[in-house]
């Protein structure tokens, strides 16, 4: 689905629904807007339940403040009280066509400490959000607040922290602005949790530049057809990606998943796009190092291809950025799986691979992961899991995130007391883990 073809009011409802149901705002908090081609501003209303917003609730405001009716919208509500800063941003940054403001908990924590999250710890966050600006406090809904925020956007920032308030992001489209806010909150959550592990490992300019480089495109081929088996796998993989998004194991702009079709072919998620609205025809068939005509696979395609070649039993690979597990990819702590039997059985030991090693030396990681080592941390990126089928890989992803969260929370109670060595040997024998 082309999100841009939706009417602005439908776009605003869809994105606010995501923001609310992913826990990034409250019933009364947050506001979104779209600047229409004719200069009208479509904006969410004041005093309306954000969890039950409808297209009829969205307001359309002209330059002079008049509420514009179009047969469905007749001024049944008041525009958001933050309309002044939306207008000010559009004036300061004519290239922006959409604005998102919310109060995600991790970002609010940073705003209370008067800090901005370090986007350089996560290359995807840097690519999507860039450096984060900071706007000083002013009364909510005031022209002064609008001047503060607009000045920060005017300095070139696309993501801005508001002192003792929350965050605002802008974009060429509403989906762009939303993905910036979502990534900003994800990064803030990972950074907050990683802070308990020790120093944060930020990337150098050279490392960020390397991550920004696009790999050479695979050659194309035209599939002769699509078997029933492939079609079934397309649906299963799309469903798994949607589920990973809904469970906050992936963000909409990041994450790669693939499934083996046969000895020489696999399906993989595309580069770019919105993971939550991924359709079965968006998935890219890769065969013998060639990509399906007209489609561009994730940049992880070469890594996944190497793993499938080296590990004949691996049928599914997922790379994702669950925030608690990612904290171990950017901090100093050890991801210890000797917590509960399920964690040790499904995850085993979790090695960490240096930043970008899997891009310039994919064969190294391909030979390291197996069913004896089915999970790997990718430094400054996230987690990679493999499975004998999609559900097993997904289960490992969930268990890894739950385990990471439990480990981080344990620190507030005292040192981890792991399962003993004798008990581990007992688990290994009972579940054939040797």
């Amino acid at each position: 689905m082309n999100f841009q073809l939706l009417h602005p009011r439908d776009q605003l409802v869809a994105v606010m629904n995501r923001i609310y149901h992913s826990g990034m705002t409250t019933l009364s908090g947050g506001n979104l807007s779209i600047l229409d081609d004719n200069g009208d501003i479509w904006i969410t209303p004041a005093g309306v339940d954000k969890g039950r917003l409808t297209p009829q609730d969205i307001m359309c405001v002209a330059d002079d403040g008049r509420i514009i009716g179009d047969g469905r919208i007749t001024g049944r509500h008041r525009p958001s009280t933050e309309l002044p800063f939306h207008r000010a941003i559009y004036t300061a940054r004519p290239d922006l066509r959409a604005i998102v403001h919310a109060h995600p908990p991790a970002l609010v924590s940073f705003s209370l400490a008067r800090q901005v999250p370090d986007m350089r710890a996560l290359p995807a966050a840097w690519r999507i959000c860039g450096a984060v600006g900071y706007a000083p406090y002013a009364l909510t809904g005031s022209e002064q607040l609008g001047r503060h925020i607009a000045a920060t956007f005017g300095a070139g920032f696309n993501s801005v922290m508001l002192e003792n308030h929350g965050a605002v992001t802008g974009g060429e489209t509403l989906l762009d602005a939303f993905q910036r806010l979502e990534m900003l909150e994800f990064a803030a959550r990972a950074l907050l949790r990683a802070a308990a592990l020790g120093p944060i490992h930020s990337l150098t300019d050279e490392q960020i530049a390397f991550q920004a480089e696009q790999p050479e495109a695979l050659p194309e081929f035209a599939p002769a057809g699509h078997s029933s088996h492939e079609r079934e796998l397309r649906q299963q993989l799309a469903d798994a990606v949607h589920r990973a998004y809904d469970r906050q194991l992936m963000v909409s702009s990041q994450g790669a998943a693939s499934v083996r079709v046969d000895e020489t072919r696999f399906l993989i998620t595309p580069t770019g796009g919105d993971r939550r609205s991924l359709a079965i025809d968006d998935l890219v068939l890769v065969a013998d190092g060639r990509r399906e005509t007209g489609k561009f696979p994730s940049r992880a395609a070469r890594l996944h291809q190497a793993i499938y070649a080296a590990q004949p039993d691996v049928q599914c690979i997922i790379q994702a950025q669950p925030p608690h597990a990612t904290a171990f990819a950017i901090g100093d702590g050890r991801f210890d799986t000797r917590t509960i039997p399920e964690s040790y059985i499904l995850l085993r030991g979790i090695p960490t691979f240096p930043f970008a090693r899997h891009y310039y030396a994919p064969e190294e990681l391909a030979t390291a992961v197996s069913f004896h080592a089915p999970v790997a941390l990718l430094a400054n990126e996230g987690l990679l899991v493999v499975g004998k089928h999609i559900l097993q890989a997904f289960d490992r992803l969930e268990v890894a995130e739950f385990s990471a969260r439990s480990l981080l929370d344990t620190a507030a109670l005292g040192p981890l007391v792991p399962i003993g060595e004798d008990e581990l040997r007992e688990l290994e024998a009972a579940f054939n883990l040797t």
Side-chain angles (χ1 to χ4, degrees):
M1 180 186 71
N2 186 341
F3 190 74
Q4 284 303 106
L5 292 180
L6 292 176
H7 192 280
R9 57 180 166 242
D10 296 305
Q11 292 186 42
L12 291 166
V13 169
V15 168
M16 182 57 85
N17 186 61
R18 282 208 208 180
I19 291 173
Y20 179 80
H21 289 287
S22 63
M24 289 196 289
T25 199
T26 58
L27 180 151
S28 59
N31 38 80
L32 325 174
S33 73
I34 295 174
L35 179 63
D36 213 337
D37 293 340
N38 64 2
D40 296 339
I41 296 176
W42 297 84
I43 191 166
T44 49
V48 175
D49 182 351
K50 299 302 190 299
R52 295 184 176 180
L53 207 61
T54 70
Q56 290 75 26
D57 294 320
I58 302 300
M59 312 299 296
C60 187
V61 183
D63 284 344
D64 60 5
R66 288 180 300 110
I67 306 301
I68 302 172
D70 68 349
R72 292 175 65 187
I73 298 176
T74 57
R76 59 188 288 186
H77 304 299
R78 293 178 295 107
S80 168
T81 55
E82 303 287 20
L83 175 61
F85 83 60
H86 288 251
R87 279 182 168 153
I89 293 170
Y90 290 132
T91 299
R93 288 284 301 278
D95 58 312
L96 299 180
R97 310 292 292 184
I99 295 165
V100 171
H101 167 52
H103 313 131
L107 289 176
V108 168
S109 295
F110 273 87
S111 80
L112 299 181
R114 309 211 172 167
Q115 297 179 23
V116 297
D118 179 10
M119 296 293 100
R120 298 176 71 93
L122 293 156
W126 180 265
R127 186 173 65 253
I128 292 168
C129 301
V132 180
Y134 184 85
Y137 180 83
L139 178 67
T140 295
S142 68
E143 296 291 342
Q144 182 62 49
L145 179 61
R147 286 191 289 271
H148 287 172
I149 300 173
T152 311
F153 272 95
F157 295 101
N158 293 320
S159 306
V160 176
M161 296 293 301
L162 308 185
E163 185 174 284
N164 290 85
H165 194 157
V168 182
T169 57
E172 294 181 5
T173 69
L174 185 62
L175 193 58
D176 289 340
F178 165 72
Q179 289 181 334
R180 283 195 174 112
L181 180 80
E182 181 185 52
M183 179 57 79
L184 195 60
E185 170 68 359
F186 156 73
R189 289 171 65 191
L191 288 163
L192 282 173
R193 302 318 300 264
L197 301 174
I200 303 296
H201 300 294
S202 294
L203 300 176
T204 65
D205 291 342
E206 291 76 16
Q207 288 173 318
I208 288 175
F210 173 84
Q211 179 68 16
E213 293 177 4
Q214 293 300 315
E216 182 180 352
L218 298 175
E220 292 184 322
F221 81 104
H226 302 280
S227 67
S228 296
H229 177 57
E230 180 197 322
R231 295 177 193 181
E232 182 178 34
L233 290 176
R234 282 181 181 268
Q235 188 63 64
Q236 291 177 5
L237 189 60
D239 289 345
V241 171
H242 298 161
R243 188 172 180 178
Y245 179 82
D246 290 340
R247 297 283 284 171
Q248 297 187 14
L249 303 171
M250 282 185 184
V251 293
S252 62
S253 55
Q254 294 296 309
S258 70
V259 62
R260 189 195 293 269
V261 177
D262 54 35
E263 291 79 5
T264 61
R265 300 184 302 160
F266 62 92
L267 292 163
I268 191 167
T269 45
T271 187
D274 174 18
R275 300 298 181 269
R276 186 59 188 87
S277 59
L278 180 78
I280 58 174
D281 59 328
D282 294 325
L283 295 169
V284 185
L285 185 65
V286 176
D288 295 314
R290 298 174 298 158
R291 61 185 168 91
E292 193 174 351
T293 301
K295 296 183 178 181
F296 294 90
S298 164
R299 67 179 294 169
R302 285 182 171 84
L303 171 61
H304 290 214
Q305 180 174 271
I307 294 174
Y308 287 129
Q311 306 291 343
D313 292 334
V314 169
Q315 300 296 313
C316 179
I317 306 165
I318 302 176
Q319 286 175 249
Q321 305 78 30
H324 296 86
T326 300
F328 287 89
I330 60 177
D332 264 348
R334 177 192 173 197
F335 195 152
D336 194 334
T337 62
R338 301 170 301 162
T339 53
I340 62 173
E342 181 187 46
S343 295
Y344 187 75
I345 291 166
L346 285 175
L347 307 179
R348 305 302 305 275
I350 301 181
T352 299
F353 284 82
F355 173 72
R357 178 74 60 84
H358 55 291
Y359 287 128
Y360 57 77
E363 293 77 13
E364 182 179 330
L365 179 56
T367 56
V369 296
S370 68
F371 290 117
H372 295 292
V375 183
L377 279 170
L378 307 179
N380 294 92
E381 292 199 40
L383 203 65
L384 180 144
V385 300
V386 301
K388 294 181 179 179
H389 47 74
I390 292 173
L391 282 180
Q392 186 184 63
F394 188 91
D395 190 23
R396 285 195 168 113
L397 180 64
E398 277 199 320
V399 170
E401 176 65 351
F402 275 51
S403 300
R405 181 172 182 175
S406 295
L407 279 172
L408 290 163
D409 287 344
T410 298
L413 303 174
L416 165 70
V417 181
I419 297 174
E421 290 298 322
D422 291 342
E423 288 77 14
L424 291 179
R425 302 294 83 81
E426 184 181 41
L427 282 174
E428 290 170 357
F431 290 89
N432 194 29
L433 300 180
T434 56

